[in-house]
Amino acid sequence: MSGWIEDYALIGDMQTAALVGRDGSVDWLCLPHFDSPACFSALLGDEQNGNWWMRPANGEPRAARRRYRPETMILESEWDTPEGSVRVIDFMPPRGGAPHLVRIVEGIAGTVRMQTALRLRFDYGNVVPWIHRSGTELVAIAGPDAVWMSSPVPMDGHNFLHDATFTVSAGQRVPFVMTWHPSQVEESDHLDAEKALSRTERFWRRWVDQCTYEGEYRDAVVRSLITLKALTYRPSGGIVASPTTSLPEDIGGVRNWDYRYCWLRDATITLEALIRSGYTDEAQAWREWLVRAVAGEPQHMQIMYGVRGERRLAEWEADWLPGYEESRPVRIGNAAVGQYQLDVYGEVMDVLHLARRSGLQGGEHVWGLQRSLVNYLEWCWDEPDEGLWEVRGPRQHFVHSKVMAWVAADRAVRAIEDFGKEGPIERWRALRDTIHAEVCEYGYDARRNTFTQYYGSKELDAALLLMPEVGFLPYEDPRIVGTIEAIRDDLMIDGFVMRYRTDREDVADCLPGDEGAFLACSFWMANALLSIGREKEARDLFDRLLELRNDVGLLSEEWDAAEGRQVGNFPQAFSHVPLVTTALNLAHQNGQRRGG
């Protein structure tokens, strides 16, 4: 069985990523890209679905200590045994050609007997490759995939795996390099593990040097920014929500989704975090990815795209995988790609407005895109949709969706007022005013002094916390204060915020089972409390959220308070981005806020 979600650490090369457990096992890796089929899928089953472990032959299988080298994505795991101590250094060098996974075993004290076992299973654990030797290297081939393994340690094959036992003494270092190629390529790229380690360390430290945040939460902010960088598909600038699929929101349940894609809903908060932290190049690349991805007719704009801008992300089930802790089905692709979500028009308009305010350059075609989006929005804003949370129940008039439609109209008007763009300003002002009035009439419960999840609903939605953040109403408006207090009273469970309640009859998503507290929503609450003058409450909540990170500073999508563990896909960009922005706000950093 795979470990707890928080038992894993992330390594990556900005085109794909691997998860390494505390037991020294690489249990998840898709090659050559984030959304490629996995060659290690033990995370969603067991070792027979593919993994590569490295650990001492004697003693506790779990590492006694582990950490990232400061300000890098180089993982160091250490074991203590009766014979001595040993360290395994795991990393993926920033990619120049082929992707490499490097593991260096380093003796710390004494002489330690080590064991390693490699089980390659292509196509999400479904295909056992044919393996042969080419000189001193192992070569595994199946269909389009080939993996080459290079090491001074010879590995023997039996029972559909290759393993080895070897010793390492204090001061000695033993490298293993795994390289992927298309199967028609007959020879691998030969990588010097030690030189690659030095280059990788220099790359990450130089990148971190650009960070402008120097507040009390710098370590947490830097780790989150490194994680966000690692989730960036470097050739295109797209940022995946997570490198994993089907890690459950409800252990043993069906709330299992593929997050290896780029969501428009993440666009503005990600751009804001990058700009305010000093990473304008990454912000520019993300903005350019978005403009390329959404090009085309506005009625065909999707809520998410592939890392290169792909539109077809058909969902299917890998029924041979038992799922993480028997959480089925294991989904590949995401059917939500075909949903109608009104809020994405506001997200795109908002991110392009923020980019323009921040000085990121864009051609006139960008304003042409914005005009077409708002022109289309005039005809569709009053339709029900599936909403921010991608419910799989009936469409509703979600309040957050309508607010983001207002954002789209507002940002169009402000582009004309503030930047001299040309457009039908009076018509768009009227559209903005109409949407605002409707939301305040039908989305607000005057008796309880709170906005609601959708028109006519009695339920709340944590996305309502974003209403003042995008400028729909000011934080000091009594209706906003009332909404923040209502969400705190109704959706905060064991100190953290749910997206919405899943334990009542009026559940919008129409899915069985429950889910954990949504970490992004909890950060939104901390920011909201800070913005209405409750700094101590905000800081206390933020500090509690930081305590949920695992030992190397990573967060999944949700927190299961009953079980005291992380749940959902891991690590999650949508958790780490609001960590950064909330830390910046707590430090009273000057910067661009969404509604500014």
Side-chain angles (χ1 to χ4, degrees):
M1 177 184 290
S2 53
W4 276 27
I5 289 169
E6 53 264 56
D7 284 340
Y8 289 98
L10 179 78
I11 57 174
D13 64 1
M14 290 159 290
Q15 294 192 43
T16 191
L19 293 187
V20 186
R22 289 190 69 106
D23 59 356
S25 181
V26 182
D27 285 350
W28 182 254
L29 175 61
C30 299
L31 290 172
H33 305 126
F34 289 110
D35 54 353
S36 300
C39 64
F40 297 143
S41 301
L43 180 69
L44 301 177
D46 59 29
E47 60 185 15
Q48 297 305 319
N49 301 120
N51 71 339
W52 179 16
W53 58 261
M54 184 94 62
R55 66 180 74 108
N58 299 318
E60 171 64 40
R62 288 166 57 90
R65 297 169 298 279
R66 66 174 181 173
R67 64 161 194 163
Y68 286 112
R69 285 193 180 180
E71 302 187 339
T72 76
M73 185 143 279
I74 299 169
L75 180 69
E76 297 183 336
S77 305
E78 296 180 357
W79 284 262
D80 298 323
T81 76
E83 293 80 26
S85 298
V86 67
R87 176 184 298 124
V88 175
I89 305 167
D90 291 315
F91 65 99
M92 297 184 73
R95 193 180 304 184
H100 303 281
L101 170 57
V102 183
R103 315 194 76 179
I104 299 174
V105 183
E106 179 183 15
I108 300 174
T111 298
V112 179
R113 191 162 63 98
M114 297 290 294
Q115 290 182 326
T116 187
L118 174 70
R119 292 178 178 84
L120 282 162
R121 301 290 187 269
F122 295 123
D123 192 27
Y124 301 104
N126 194 37
V127 176
V128 180
W130 172 60
I131 298 181
H132 68 280
R133 294 189 184 276
S134 177
T136 60
E137 296 180 307
L138 288 178
V139 184
I141 295 177
D145 299 298
V147 165
W148 295 62
M149 174 62 70
S150 176
S151 175
V153 175
M155 302 180 75
D156 298 321
H158 58 94
N159 297 328
F160 302 104
L161 66 86
H162 280 73
D163 61 6
T165 300
F166 61 100
T167 59
V168 59
S169 300
Q172 183 183 5
R173 291 158 73 103
V174 181
F176 294 78
V177 178
M178 191 182 100
T179 304
W180 180 93
H181 274 293
S183 58
Q184 69 269 19
V185 176
E186 295 183 357
E187 186 173 354
S188 73
D189 291 344
H190 294 279
L191 185 79
D192 184 302
E194 295 291 347
K195 290 181 180 178
L197 177 61
S198 296
R199 287 196 304 269
T200 302
E201 186 165 9
R202 285 197 303 271
F203 169 86
W204 284 110
R205 289 189 171 163
R206 287 173 179 171
W207 188 81
V208 169
D209 282 345
Q210 301 173 57
C211 180
T212 56
Y213 173 76
E214 296 292 344
E216 63 180 300
Y217 300 110
R218 180 175 166 83
D219 288 347
V221 167
V222 165
R223 180 50 52 195
S224 291
L225 289 169
I226 289 174
T227 302
L228 190 63
K229 178 67 170 176
L231 298 180
T232 300
Y233 184 69
R234 198 175 183 185
S236 71
I239 301 172
V240 297
S242 176
T244 60
T245 179
S246 299
L247 289 180
E249 298 166 8
D250 180 26
I251 300 294
V254 301
R255 296 171 180 262
N256 318 316
W257 318 108
D258 193 343
Y259 275 15
R260 297 172 297 157
Y261 308 113
C262 307
W263 266 259
L264 299 188
R265 73 179 183 209
D266 301 357
T268 311
I269 61 170
T270 302
L271 193 79
E272 177 192 0
L274 291 171
I275 289 172
R276 294 179 65 190
S277 302
Y279 292 99
T280 53
D281 288 346
E282 284 74 12
Q284 181 85 24
W286 174 230
R287 196 285 304 271
E288 291 175 357
W289 171 88
L290 183 143
V291 171
R292 292 193 304 270
V294 304
E297 296 178 300
Q299 63 267 33
H300 296 149
M301 192 168 73
Q302 299 179 177
I303 67 167
M304 71 179 85
Y305 296 86
V307 292
R308 293 162 294 274
E310 301 93 333
R311 292 172 176 256
R312 298 186 183 275
L313 311 176
E315 182 178 303
W316 54 279
E317 297 177 5
D319 56 10
W320 59 87
L321 287 172
Y324 179 87
E325 294 191 21
E326 302 296 320
S327 302
R328 296 184 179 91
V330 171
R331 293 183 170 93
I332 310 299
N334 199 310
V337 70
Q339 287 189 349
Y340 173 57
Q341 294 183 21
L342 181 65
D343 67 290
V344 297
Y345 296 94
E347 294 292 359
V348 172
M349 292 294 293
D350 197 24
V351 73
L352 296 178
H353 180 71
L354 176 59
R356 189 175 287 119
R357 285 171 49 215
S358 303
L360 299 186
Q361 298 302 312
E364 277 304 307
H365 69 285
V366 175
W367 176 239
L369 167 67
Q370 291 181 273
R371 285 183 59 129
S372 67
L373 292 180
V374 181
N375 287 336
Y376 176 69
L377 192 68
E378 289 182 271
W379 298 98
C380 69
W381 73 268
D382 57 352
E383 297 176 9
D385 73 331
E386 276 94 359
L388 169 75
W389 304 125
E390 300 167 7
V391 301
R392 301 207 174 187
R395 291 180 177 180
Q396 304 286 353
H397 290 282
F398 287 101
V399 171
H400 173 265
S401 296
K402 305 301 186 190
V403 168
M404 294 309 296
W406 175 88
V407 166
D410 176 74
R411 302 319 189 245
V413 168
R414 291 165 65 181
I416 298 170
E417 293 175 340
D418 300 343
F419 296 97
K421 300 298 182 181
E422 294 185 0
I425 189 168
E426 294 304 327
R427 200 175 81 213
W428 289 347
R429 280 175 177 156
L431 173 64
R432 180 178 65 178
D433 293 345
T434 298
I435 299 172
H436 197 282
E438 183 184 285
V439 170
C440 291
E441 181 176 357
Y442 296 109
Y444 175 67
D445 184 338
R447 184 179 62 82
R448 294 188 296 158
N449 188 30
T450 182
F451 287 92
T452 61
Q453 185 176 44
Y454 54 87
Y455 293 175
S457 172
K458 297 298 182 185
E459 296 300 326
L460 301 179
D461 188 326
L464 301 171
L465 294 169
L466 298 176
M467 294 178 72
E469 191 71 8
V470 300
F472 185 84
L473 286 171
Y475 272 106
E476 59 268 21
D477 190 291
R479 292 167 293 183
I480 291 298
V481 175
T483 299
I484 294 170
E485 291 176 340
I487 291 172
R488 182 193 58 188
D489 294 342
D490 190 49
L491 296 187
M492 285 195 78
I493 308 297
D494 295 310
F496 303 105
V497 182
M498 309 285 290
R499 293 189 293 180
Y500 45 82
R501 296 298 290 258
T502 58
D503 56 352
R504 295 173 181 159
E505 293 183 3
D506 188 18
V507 178
D509 66 22
C510 293
L511 289 170
D514 297 317
E515 64 178 26
F518 206 79
L519 295 177
C521 299
S522 300
F523 284 114
W524 296 345
M525 175 60 77
N527 187 64
L529 291 169
L530 177 68
S531 299
I532 62 173
R534 300 180 184 178
E535 182 174 350
K536 185 180 186 306
E537 288 182 65
R539 194 172 294 276
D540 288 347
L541 175 55
F542 186 74
D543 289 341
R544 292 199 305 274
L545 283 163
L546 292 187
E547 291 174 359
L548 301 185
R549 296 174 303 152
N550 73 356
D551 59 312
V552 290
L554 301 181
L555 287 169
S556 68
E557 183 180 27
E558 300 181 6
W559 175 256
D560 185 332
E563 296 293 331
R565 60 184 297 190
Q566 296 189 30
V567 290
N569 283 304
F570 174 90
Q572 178 70 230
F574 207 45
S575 298
H576 284 280
V577 170
L579 183 158
V580 173
T581 54
T582 306
L584 291 169
N585 294 339
L586 284 166
H588 307 293
Q589 297 283 317
N590 293 322
Q592 304 285 6
R593 297 289 292 274
R594 292 188 69 176

